[in-house]
Structures are given as structure tokens and as C-alpha cells.
Amino acid sequence: MPNIHSTISFGLVNIPVILNTVIKNNDISFNQLHKKCGSRIMYQKYCPHCRVILKESEIVKGYEYEKKEYIEFTKKELEELKPENEEIIEIVSFINLKEIEPSYFEKSYYLSTEKKSKAYNLFVSALEKSKLVALCKTILHNKFYYGVIRYYENALILTTLYFEEEIHLEEGKKIDKIDSKELDLALKLIGSMKGHFEPQKYKDEYQNELKKAIDDKLEGKKIKAKKKSNKKQVTDLMKALEKSLKK
């Protein structure tokens, strides 16, 4: 995906930036093939009413307001509905990152500059010193977003946010009284498993297995079924905690 050129609007200060995607999809993709001949399946846009295959120029967008009843929108009409200044990242306010429930975080972009920028460096330093994040709004890929810009290792990261109506979190139910001995064992188990976040150690086991299987297939080897671990479940909570600690 090409990088996106934009501008942070910070009061009357404008800071040109380039949005670079942080996430790279590491998943292995498969194509669908015709089992009989091994050819790749093709998809065509087909109108069942007219019984014809359509060109892109013959297609318009429609909103289904009732079952099988649509109102149509042209490309021009949808373009005219876009907010102004779509290439601007407008700062709305500055907030504490801890106020945001992590479920709201969507996609992150690394914000860089083409050349040295005093305004960019000033904004980076100001965010670091304030310990706050900038709440902003912008348009990316024809979609309106709110997001947060935060300091990260002498640079900036923009993370888009889901809207409240997109998040479906159920309210937690009242917790029953917990046995103090069970709680003590659970806390000891947590303490024994305490560690640090070390992302370089975490590997995608499934994708690695797929890559190995592909290499084996190319070499004409038979794919071996992975052994499934057969863990016995302990139904007695106290015994399960005690056994977990011993392990």
C-alpha cells in the first residue's frame, strides 16, 4: 500500500507528515483452484436479473432501505459528501492514554517527514514532555476516523479508533465471594508466571507450520499430522491451582 501524505493541524501550526503502515500481514494466502484441472477460480460480477456479466462502469452503489428496495448513489454524489480538508489530521484535544479502553484501538501508522522539520521535532518533544496523547480526526481510505497521536521513540504513532457504536462490551456481572485460600493460590500462580512483554520471542506457530508444510510438499514429502496435546482437566479448583503451582 502506498504511503499517505497528510498534514497535522496543531492550532495554527501545520506539520507535513507521511503515514506509513506499521502492520505487515504475515499470513500465507491460498488461492482457490478447480480440483479437476488445478486452474485458479475467477470471480465475475454478474447480474442475475439481466443474466449478464457486468463491467465496472455499469455498477453503482445502492443502500437497501427495505428488502430488495434500493436507493442509488453515484460516485460523484458520494465524493461530495466527504468532509473538507480530507488530507488534514486535525488535533481536537490532548488526553491521557489510560482513559482509552484498548478495545477502541484499530490500526496504527508511523508518522514520518520527508525532510528535517522543526515543527515536527517540536511536536514530538511536546508530546513526550506532556505525557499526553493528541486526540485527532482525519480521513483515511475514504473513511472518517478519530484517532490518537502518541510519542514513540523520538517519533509519532497515529492509531485510529473505533467509534462507540462499533464497540460491544457487556457489563461485568457481580463477582461471587471468593475463597481466600483459592485467591491466595491464584495470586501465587500469577507471581510464578510473571514476566515481561518481549515481542521478538513470540512467533506465529501456525504460519510457521504452514511454511514448513509448503516446503515439504515442494520436496515431495508427506505432511505429518501434528500431535495434539492431551491435557487432563482438573475439575476441583483447589487441586487444579495446587497442581499448576507444582508444575
Side-chain angles (χ1 to χ4, degrees):
M1 188 198 79
N3 295 333
I4 304 166
H5 289 254
S6 189
T7 301
I8 296 173
S9 176
F10 173 40
L12 297 177
V13 179
N14 292 323
I15 309 168
V17 290
I18 304 167
L19 280 71
N20 313 272
T21 52
V22 171
I23 304 302
K24 181 183 73 173
N25 191 337
N26 194 38
D27 293 350
I28 291 171
S29 59
F30 289 93
N31 294 313
Q32 291 189 322
L33 310 177
H34 184 189
K35 188 176 180 179
K36 182 179 179 181
C37 65
S39 298
R40 186 174 173 179
I41 302 301
M42 303 299 291
Y43 290 92
Q44 295 174 316
K45 294 183 178 180
Y46 177 77
C47 175
H49 180 266
C50 300
R51 297 183 182 179
V52 292
I53 295 167
L54 300 175
K55 297 176 184 176
E56 199 65 38
S57 60
E58 298 176 289
I59 299 171
V60 295
K61 290 189 176 182
Y63 174 77
E64 189 176 22
Y65 62 95
E66 287 181 9
K67 192 170 178 63
K68 294 185 179 180
E69 294 290 335
Y70 300 88
I71 46 171
E72 295 179 4
F73 285 87
T74 65
K75 189 175 181 180
K76 185 181 177 183
E77 286 173 328
L78 292 173
E79 284 288 331
E80 289 174 348
L81 291 173
K82 284 184 184 178
E84 294 180 21
N85 301 324
E86 60 179 289
E87 293 181 358
I88 297 292
I89 302 170
E90 183 184 342
I91 304 299
V92 176
S93 65
F94 292 88
I95 60 175
N96 193 315
L97 185 61
K98 291 180 180 178
E99 293 180 19
I100 306 174
E101 156 61 39
S103 301
Y104 281 84
F105 298 139
E106 193 206 28
K107 191 174 182 180
S108 293
Y109 299 85
Y110 178 83
L111 303 184
S112 62
T113 54
E114 284 185 317
K115 52 187 178 181
K116 286 185 178 181
S117 168
K118 186 178 179 180
Y120 177 88
N121 292 336
L122 175 64
F123 192 63
V124 170
S125 299
L127 276 186
E128 180 190 13
K129 293 288 183 184
S130 70
K131 306 298 182 187
L132 298 174
V133 297
L135 181 68
C136 62
K137 57 183 179 181
T138 190
I139 292 177
L140 293 171
H141 313 299
N142 298 319
K143 189 177 185 303
F144 179 83
Y145 286 101
Y146 271 86
V148 289
I149 301 173
R150 59 189 171 85
Y151 168 85
Y152 176 77
E153 295 186 359
N154 296 324
L156 301 172
I157 299 287
L158 164 64
T159 301
T160 55
L161 301 173
Y162 289 109
F163 289 99
E164 186 182 19
E165 57 264 32
E166 295 178 291
I167 303 292
H168 298 284
L169 293 173
E170 293 185 7
E171 287 188 20
K173 295 177 181 178
K174 188 177 178 181
I175 297 173
D176 295 331
K177 190 176 180 180
I178 302 297
D179 182 279
S180 59
K181 290 181 180 179
E182 291 174 346
L183 180 59
D184 184 54
L185 284 174
L187 290 171
K188 284 180 180 178
L189 182 57
I190 289 172
S192 69
M193 297 174 69
K194 190 176 179 181
H196 297 283
F197 182 63
E198 300 173 283
Q200 69 277 8
K201 289 185 177 181
Y202 313 138
K203 306 300 179 185
D204 191 330
E205 297 173 17
Y206 176 60
Q207 293 299 317
N208 288 341
E209 287 291 334
L210 281 177
K211 288 172 186 175
K212 186 179 181 304
I214 289 168
D215 290 338
D216 287 347
K217 282 251 183 188
L218 288 170
E219 293 174 13
K221 296 178 183 177
K222 189 177 180 181
I223 305 299
K224 293 180 180 179
K226 192 177 179 181
K227 290 182 180 179
K228 303 289 183 183
S229 59
N230 187 22
K231 288 185 179 180
K232 291 183 179 179
Q233 294 295 319
V234 182
T235 53
D236 186 294
L237 184 56
M238 184 66 83
K239 285 183 180 178
L241 287 166
E242 289 171 344
K243 284 189 174 185
S244 298
L245 272 171
K246 285 178 183 178
K247 267 197 167 186

